[in-house]
């Protein structure tokens, strides 16, 4: 394991391989280097691979303020600049896919593999906005009352498990991340992209993968039957075989 300080944030990373094009592994929300280590080990004979803990995850430091997806993509640009990496290949999961897409919208990217890709928000109905409004109203009342100590309890009862498990600045970051929608820029991502989705993914349903395939100019979809949001991790040999088929012409 190695460490580097980027924009004042200490980051943990692994580097595999010494020759070939550069592959960058981008984990999902709440994950870390270890989740993608087997991919780095598999690709090391043909590529230079960087596997990193995003700020706020694994053993990397939290950002000094709440980060948006755009902030993460800019931080990633500075990370890659530090190693003189240009035109990378991204292999990303879930939240990492949001970062990869935002990066590819602004900077050159050679190719991408996006699995369980997050980034297309659901259309939300009246019930959702009523719940959000009620939460914000309760939060505002507690902030301006003698019962500020009850605010933490309210926050712990609200939101998803990912939100409740985060603390401090990462809760605010989570809100920014899940509200980021890349739908409008997908048509401008002129990068050859392989989408890998689990058939039974409930976090980023297969229909989102099909929509991404439709919206992106050069995307193809592979479906892992009878698997979920972590299909890439549950079926590592199959996922690596798919990667090899997709990336083979980059090392032959």
């Amino acid at each position: 394991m190695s460490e580097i300080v980027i924009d004042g944030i200490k980051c943990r990373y692994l580097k595999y391989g010494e020759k070939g094009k550069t592959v960058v592994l981008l984990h999902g929300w709440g994950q870390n280097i270890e989740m993608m280590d087997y991919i780095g080990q598999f690709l090391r004979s043909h590529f230079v691979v960087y596997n990193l803990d995003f700020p706020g995850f694994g053993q990397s430091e939290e950002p000094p303020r709440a980060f948006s997806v755009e902030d993460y993509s800019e931080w990633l640009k500075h990370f890659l600049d530090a190693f003189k990496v240009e035109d990378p290949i991204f292999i990303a999961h879930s939240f990492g896919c949001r970062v990869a897409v935002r990066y590819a919208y602004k900077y050159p990217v050679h190719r991408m593999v996006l699995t369980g890709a997050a980034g297309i928000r659901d259309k939300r109905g009246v019930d959702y906005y009523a719940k959000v409004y009620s939460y914000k109203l309760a939060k505002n009342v507690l902030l301006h009352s003698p019962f500020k100590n009850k605010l933490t309890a309210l926050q712990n009862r609200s939101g998803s498990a990912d939100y409740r498990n985060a603390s401090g600045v990462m809760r605010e970051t989570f809100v920014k991340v899940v509200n980021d929608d890349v739908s409008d820029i997908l048509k401008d991502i002129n990068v050859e992209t392989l989408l890998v989705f689990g058939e039974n993914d409930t976090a980023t349903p297969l229909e989102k993968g099909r929509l991404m395939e439709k919206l992106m100019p050069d995307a193809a979809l592979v479906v892992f039957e009878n698997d979920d949001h972590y299909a890439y991790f549950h079926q590592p040999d199959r996922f690596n075989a798919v990667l090899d088929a997709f990336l083979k012409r980059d090392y032959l």
Side-chain angles (χ1 to χ4, degrees):
M1 297 287 182
S2 301
E3 291 182 340
I4 188 172
V5 176
I6 304 293
D7 297 342
I9 302 168
K10 186 187 295 183
C11 165
R12 180 180 69 146
Y13 72 94
L14 276 172
K15 181 184 176 185
Y16 317 75
E18 299 296 334
K19 61 181 181 180
K21 293 185 179 297
T22 300
V23 173
V24 182
L25 308 180
L26 305 175
H27 65 72
W29 185 273
Q31 298 174 36
N32 52 41
I33 280 174
E34 284 74 17
M35 292 290 287
M36 289 190 155
D37 179 63
Y38 76 90
I39 300 173
Q41 299 291 354
F42 177 74
L43 296 177
R44 67 186 308 155
S45 59
H46 298 297
F47 298 92
V48 175
V49 184
Y50 288 94
N51 184 10
L52 58 99
D53 282 339
F54 276 122
F57 301 97
Q59 294 181 28
S60 290
E61 293 178 338
E62 291 187 354
R65 55 179 174 77
F67 263 24
S68 64
V69 178
E70 181 70 23
D71 291 327
Y72 273 109
S73 71
E74 287 301 308
W75 182 91
L76 178 60
K77 178 66 166 65
H78 299 161
F79 175 91
L80 296 180
D81 285 348
F83 296 101
K84 297 181 171 55
V85 173
E86 298 179 350
D87 204 26
I89 297 168
F90 286 142
I91 300 174
H93 175 241
S94 194
F95 154 68
C97 299
R98 293 182 191 262
V99 179
V101 168
R102 288 283 175 195
Y103 185 105
Y105 182 64
K106 294 181 66 175
Y107 305 110
V109 172
H110 183 56
R111 305 169 88 187
M112 296 194 295
V113 179
L114 307 179
T115 179
I120 297 180
R121 285 176 52 189
D122 291 322
K123 292 182 179 179
R124 290 163 171 169
V126 174
D127 289 346
Y128 169 82
Y129 290 104
K131 186 183 294 184
V132 170
Y133 178 78
S134 297
Y135 168 75
K136 289 183 176 179
L137 180 62
K139 178 180 176 182
N140 188 58
V141 169
L142 289 173
L143 279 172
H144 298 88
S145 77
F147 305 106
K148 289 183 182 180
N149 61 317
K150 295 185 180 295
L151 180 57
T152 298
L154 173 67
Q155 290 173 327
N156 287 335
R157 291 196 306 272
S158 303
S160 69
D162 283 333
Y163 176 83
R164 294 193 302 271
N165 290 335
S167 60
V169 71
M170 295 308 294
R171 281 192 173 183
E172 297 175 53
T173 294
F174 179 76
V175 172
K176 289 188 175 188
V177 166
V178 298
N179 282 296
D180 182 79
D181 193 333
V182 301
S183 301
D184 289 345
I185 66 172
L186 290 177
K187 68 183 186 303
D188 300 313
I189 307 299
N190 293 302
V191 177
E192 185 179 10
T193 301
L194 183 67
L195 303 165
V196 180
F197 273 70
E199 180 184 23
N200 301 324
D201 192 336
T202 56
T204 54
L206 179 56
E207 65 188 60
K208 299 297 178 65
R210 293 194 174 110
L211 182 55
M212 281 190 166
E213 182 185 30
K214 180 179 178 180
L215 293 174
M216 299 177 79
D218 192 6
L221 175 65
V222 173
V223 179
F224 279 25
E225 301 82 4
N226 302 312
D227 217 322
D228 59 17
H229 192 54
Y230 297 93
Y232 83 100
F233 189 73
H234 295 153
Q235 301 186 53
D237 292 339
R238 184 180 181 188
F239 187 74
N240 280 341
V242 169
L243 288 181
D244 191 53
F246 183 64
L247 300 176
K248 184 166 287 186
R249 69 177 183 267
D250 285 315
Y251 67 81
L252 288 179

